[in-house]
Amino acid sequence: MAYSRWCWFPLYFAASIALGVIAISSAVRSSSSKNSPQEATPIPHDLSINASNALRRSGFIVMADLLHHSPSFFKPPQNSTIFAIKDSAIKNTSHPLWFLKTLLLYHTTTTSKPHSFDDLLHVPLGTCLPTLLRNKNVSLTKLDRATNTLEINHVPISNPNIFLADKLAIHGVLAPFYPLHPQDLLQRGFDSVIPSPTCRSNGDAVNGVEWSKVVRSLSAKGYASFSLALHSVLDGIKKEYKGLGSVTVFAPPDLALLGYPSSFLDRAVRLHILPRRFSYQELTSMPVRTLLKTLVPDDSLEVDGVLDFVPGMVVSGVEIVAPDMLASQNFVVHGISRAFKMAEVTL
């Protein structure tokens, strides 16, 4: 009898996976109708072909193929703006179609008209744009008209105006707006996997990071040197990142840099801050070698994962020893075993 029960286990397991796929697929199918009344009127077929050709000419082959997939499984509504992900950022093109469609829905916004790059540059910082993925928005997190720099969910727009038409606009972005993985979506669903950004509401200022609370709490938790270092460079961070809505802080127990030049100290502190909130659970769910953007523009951290010889997770060779040590809606602080190594800098 025990043997017969084990014989049924593969069937139960397969059935549970199938039910998960059906649940996610059903949610994806229903997401558009809950977001936009215009989805019932998709863009014309010839417009889709022209957009796909423009993507292909710009080197966005994966997104071009998805937009022109046969049989069609994604028909963006009229007045859509699509943010196409670079091929290099979609490492696995063998993902199931329901997952690729989820990516497309999350990277497509629809409003009263498609947004050219110039239109986006005149949208207030911190404004959230509704996507076709049910109840999920993306936020304009960095905007500099002087340099034509624009970031959505802290991801730069690298190829503006790949395609512009009356009913459709496409821009290229360097990476997905949030790292998504099929297994996470199957197990938890996108409602719990994808965080909601802090949005500007009715012209009010964006809710910023509670920096004073972070500094005070770090000192109280025994991270006095990093608290002092953060406090000493905080004015520069606030000035440069006015629209910063959430952060992840990696706090080392000792940061003996207070006697160094201010530029060196500023870079060291920024290396320990991510411009997005990642809980410990979210970090552990990321694939090994995932790059984490920091407040240092040309320096990222890398996920090493959960290793057999240490009890905690490792990022860029440093163990997280106090996960989720401090947390609020806008920030989370993880205690780490030592400071991250900096690239060589001439003092």
Side-chain angles (χ1 to χ4, degrees):
M1 293 178 63
Y3 174 77
S4 63
R5 285 197 298 270
W6 279 106
C7 287
W8 286 100
F9 177 76
L11 293 177
Y12 290 137
F13 180 76
S16 64
I17 293 296
L19 288 173
V21 172
I22 292 171
I24 293 291
S25 302
S26 299
V28 168
R29 283 194 298 271
S30 65
S31 63
S32 302
S33 60
K34 295 188 177 184
N35 269 336
S36 172
Q38 296 174 339
E39 179 146 8
T41 308
I43 61 173
H45 181 65
D46 58 343
L47 189 62
S48 176
I49 293 176
N50 292 337
S52 178
N53 291 337
L55 281 166
R56 194 176 302 277
R57 288 193 298 269
S58 297
F60 290 76
I61 309 302
V62 174
M63 297 299 282
D65 289 343
L66 291 177
L67 189 60
H68 197 212
H69 186 271
S70 182
S72 176
F73 73 107
F74 176 67
K75 295 180 179 180
Q78 294 186 21
N79 299 324
S80 288
T81 303
I82 298 176
F83 298 95
I85 307 166
K86 273 190 174 295
D87 285 9
S88 57
I90 307 178
K91 298 180 176 62
N92 186 357
T93 57
S94 62
H95 284 311
L97 286 181
W98 65 261
F99 175 74
L100 295 174
K101 182 176 182 179
T102 301
L103 274 182
L104 285 169
L105 291 172
Y106 185 49
H107 289 77
T108 302
T109 71
T110 180
T111 50
S112 58
K113 68 170 187 173
H115 288 302
S116 68
F117 187 70
D118 186 64
D119 292 335
L120 292 171
L121 285 174
H122 288 83
V123 174
L125 187 66
T127 297
C128 279
L129 302 173
T131 75
L132 294 183
L133 194 59
R134 184 183 60 202
N135 299 328
K136 294 301 174 183
N137 298 328
V138 292
S139 174
L140 273 71
T141 49
K142 187 174 182 180
L143 192 156
D144 188 340
R145 296 187 184 93
T147 60
N148 280 346
T149 300
L150 196 151
E151 294 184 6
I152 296 179
N153 277 22
H154 305 290
V155 176
I157 292 182
S158 57
N159 298 67
N161 299 336
I162 290 177
F163 181 80
L164 291 178
D166 289 341
K167 299 298 182 181
L168 180 67
I170 302 179
H171 312 287
V173 294
L174 288 178
F177 290 149
Y178 191 78
L180 298 177
H181 308 288
Q183 195 61 33
D184 287 344
L185 293 178
L186 282 175
Q187 292 176 350
R188 299 161 54 197
F190 54 73
D191 284 333
S192 60
V193 170
I194 304 174
S196 298
T198 302
C199 303
R200 180 184 296 272
S201 177
N202 298 326
D204 295 336
V206 179
N207 296 325
V209 177
E210 305 156 284
W211 286 114
S212 59
K213 183 177 180 180
V214 174
V215 171
R216 289 196 309 269
S217 301
L218 279 170
S219 183
K221 288 283 186 178
Y223 293 79
S225 65
F226 187 72
S227 175
L228 287 171
L230 175 60
H231 183 265
S232 68
V233 302
L234 200 49
D235 286 344
I237 293 176
K238 288 180 179 179
K239 183 177 180 180
E240 185 172 345
Y241 292 90
K242 292 180 180 179
L244 196 59
S246 63
V247 294
T248 301
V249 179
F250 294 104
D254 183 32
L255 195 68
L257 297 172
L258 295 179
Y260 283 79
S262 58
S263 60
F264 187 82
L265 178 62
D266 182 74
R267 184 180 178 91
V269 171
R270 292 183 183 219
L271 182 64
H272 290 75
I273 302 175
L274 311 179
R276 188 184 294 179
R277 188 187 185 283
F278 289 116
S279 68
Y280 185 71
Q281 183 179 7
E282 289 171 331
L283 290 172
T284 56
S285 68
M286 294 180 182
V288 174
R289 293 189 294 278
T290 296
L291 293 180
L292 302 172
K293 181 181 178 182
T294 72
L295 295 189
V296 181
D298 56 347
D299 218 340
S300 298
L301 303 175
E302 185 175 285
V303 172
D304 298 323
V306 180
L307 307 179
D308 294 336
F309 53 86
V310 294
M313 181 185 175
V314 177
V315 176
S316 288
V318 178
E319 182 186 354
I320 298 177
V321 294
D324 299 332
M325 179 176 64
L326 303 167
S328 78
Q329 182 179 359
N330 296 329
F331 71 83
V332 62
V333 180
H334 307 294
I336 55 178
S337 59
R338 57 179 174 82
F340 294 119
K341 290 183 179 180
M342 292 179 59
E344 291 187 11
V345 178
T346 303
L347 299 178

